[in-house]
Amino acid sequence: MDNDFPLREEEIDGYVKIDRYNPEKVNRIATHYTDILEALGEDPTRNGLLKTPERVAKALQFLTHGYDLDAAKILKGAMFEEEYSQMVVVKDIEVFSLCEHHLLPFFGKAHIAYIPNGHIVGLSKIPRVVDIFARRLQVQERLTNEIRDCIQDTLKPIGVAVVIECKHLCMAMRGVQKQNSVTTTSAFTGEFARERTRNEFLRLITASLD
Ligand SMILES: [Zn+2]
């Protein structure tokens, strides 16, 4: 992806807010949305819709900004040598993504674990990795595998486990009558192939703190 436009990244309490709009892209996408509004029988010149094509164009750029970020690089920048060799679990990570078939949102939670093999990673970087792959056009299955592979290839741990649970608006809103169904996907490597380890992970992500 082109990277020749300014990046404003703001880190607030470990969360990164990115405002990055390529004016050329905004114009190009907005022009098409004006057309789409007309095709839908709307009047793009009425007050409420005047700025809609531009807003949609900016929103879409934000929702797909993961293309411009390198998840492996971010993990590598926060790796530390450490002899800890128990399971590290980060659960209830918020996921917001767009399904590539309908460009409608799917959203929910990701739960991730790894067993270090000499290296640990700053904990806030795990949700970051989720976000970088989620902020693209996705299918939940590929999102799950991409997160697993990125952590496996970078940290080279003894094992990685990823479980993602999401609601898909393309199912809920399009009259499929599955408004409340949740899709669960999972991907494991190494030690998590063993049933005992996998069960411990699943127990930990379903346990509540209170
Ligand atoms: Zn869909």
Side-chain angles (χ1 to χ4, degrees), residues 70-81 119-126 128-129 132 150 154-155:
D70 183 340
K73 206 168 125 190
I74 282 161
L75 277 187
K76 278 181 195 149
M79 273 169 63
F80 311 99
E81 267 179 53
H119 287 95
I120 57 165
V121 70
L123 285 178
S124 69
K125 301 304 180 224
I126 302 278
R128 224 35 252 278
V129 168
I132 288 169
C150 177
T154 312
L155 272 182

Side-chain angles (χ1 to χ4, degrees), residues 33-161:
Y33 268 99
T34 305
D35 209 39
I36 289 168
L37 288 173
E38 264 165 4
L40 291 173
E42 264 292 355
D43 170 13
T45 62
R46 74 175 169 86
N47 233 341
L49 292 179
L50 260 185
K51 296 208 95 187
T52 297
E54 187 189 326
R55 279 192 293 257
V56 175
K58 286 181 172 172
L60 272 178
Q61 279 197 45
F62 177 78
L63 297 177
T64 58
H65 73 250
Y67 288 120
D68 299 323
L69 297 169
D70 183 340
K73 206 168 125 190
I74 282 161
L75 277 187
K76 278 181 195 149
M79 273 169 63
F80 311 99
E81 267 179 53
E82 190 62 62
E83 281 318 307
Y84 186 82
S85 59
Q86 299 302 308
M87 195 182 293
V88 177
V89 182
V90 185
K91 65 178 201 176
D92 295 332
I93 302 166
E94 287 189 316
V95 175
F96 291 98
S97 192
L98 284 179
C99 103
E100 68 183 16
H101 302 134
H102 305 94
L103 302 191
L104 286 171
F106 66 93
F107 57 95
K109 297 270 159 82
H111 315 288
I112 295 178
Y114 71 98
I115 302 169
N117 189 14
H119 287 95
I120 57 165
V121 70
L123 285 178
S124 69
K125 301 304 180 224
I126 302 278
R128 224 35 252 278
V129 168
V130 172
D131 213 43
I132 288 169
F133 289 111
R135 299 301 192 173
R136 302 174 186 201
L137 305 185
Q138 275 290 8
V139 295
Q140 189 179 324
E141 295 86 341
R142 187 172 70 236
L143 174 63
T144 309
N145 287 341
E146 283 179 345
I147 295 166
R148 175 201 59 190
D149 293 346
C150 177
I151 297 171
Q152 180 62 46
D153 297 345
T154 312
L155 272 182
K156 305 201 187 316
I158 294 165
V160 177

